Amino acid sequence: GGGGCRVHVFEERIHQYANLCRNLAHWQLADCVTPVCAGIWSGTGLYTTSHEGSSGTLYFADTKAVSECKGTVVTNAHQAYRLDDYLAKQHFTPTLIECGRPGFASHIIAGAEQTIKSLKPKLILVDSPWNDWLALVKQWVPQYKVYYTEAGRKNAAAFLLTL
């Protein structure tokens, strides 16, 4: 069991989602982890990314609504939710929001504005040191303390925001 811990895990890649579900069953964590076959972006609906492989430290995702792309250009698409919309339908209050894929933090922040303002969860996000979301989050919650580490990288860093 999870000792009272409840986790919602979003995985937009179907093969990774299948592996996640298998591992949850194998590790007997199905009672405390809710897997969701989708991503969390700033919009709702189907999204496509410019790259389907490993995120790596130099990869910054380019996400677009599928409806904005020519059909011949779309090679993959993922279900996506705004975090605020997802949480409005769940009996779940997050204390931590985490994303380790560089380039997605600004999308997640844009879709979690109400959650961040009202619940003030801890945030652990990997993104570029020159990101555009940190100042916005500090406007919403000036009390956040920001911890930052490049961990030997120059183009991506880990940010921890906590009260």
Side-chain angles (χ1 to χ4, degrees), residues 140-158:
W140 296 342
V141 184
Q143 310 92 308
Y144 269 140
K145 296 176 189 153
V146 179
Y147 300 90
Y148 167 88
T149 179
E150 291 181 349
R153 300 173 289 193
K154 294 180 181 171
N155 294 316

Side-chain angles (χ1 to χ4, degrees), residues 24 32 37 72 136 140 149 160:
L24 291 175
C32 65
C37 191
T72 56
L136 182 61
W140 296 342
T149 179
L160 166 63

Side-chain angles (χ1 to χ4, degrees), residues 70-150:
K70 294 180 182 177
T72 56
V73 176
V74 177
T75 58
N76 58 70
H78 308 287
Q79 179 63 40
Y81 299 102
R82 288 172 28 106
L83 186 57
D84 287 341
D85 294 342
Y86 177 80
L87 291 173
K89 295 180 172 134
Q90 302 296 315
H91 300 289
F92 178 73
T93 302
T95 56
L96 170 69
I97 299 170
E98 182 272 339
C99 181
R101 293 178 67 192
F104 287 173
S106 62
H107 297 292
I108 291 168
I109 294 300
E113 179 177 355
Q114 294 309 314
T115 300
I116 292 168
K117 285 179 176 178
S118 63
L119 300 176
K120 299 170 183 60
K122 291 177 179 70
L123 304 173
I124 299 176
L125 302 167
V126 174
D127 204 8
S128 72
W130 51 91
N131 68 70
D132 60 354
W133 55 265
L134 184 57
L136 182 61
V137 172
K138 285 290 285 178
Q139 281 180 348
W140 296 342
V141 184
Q143 310 92 308
Y144 269 140
K145 296 176 189 153
V146 179
Y147 300 90
Y148 167 88
T149 179
E150 291 181 349

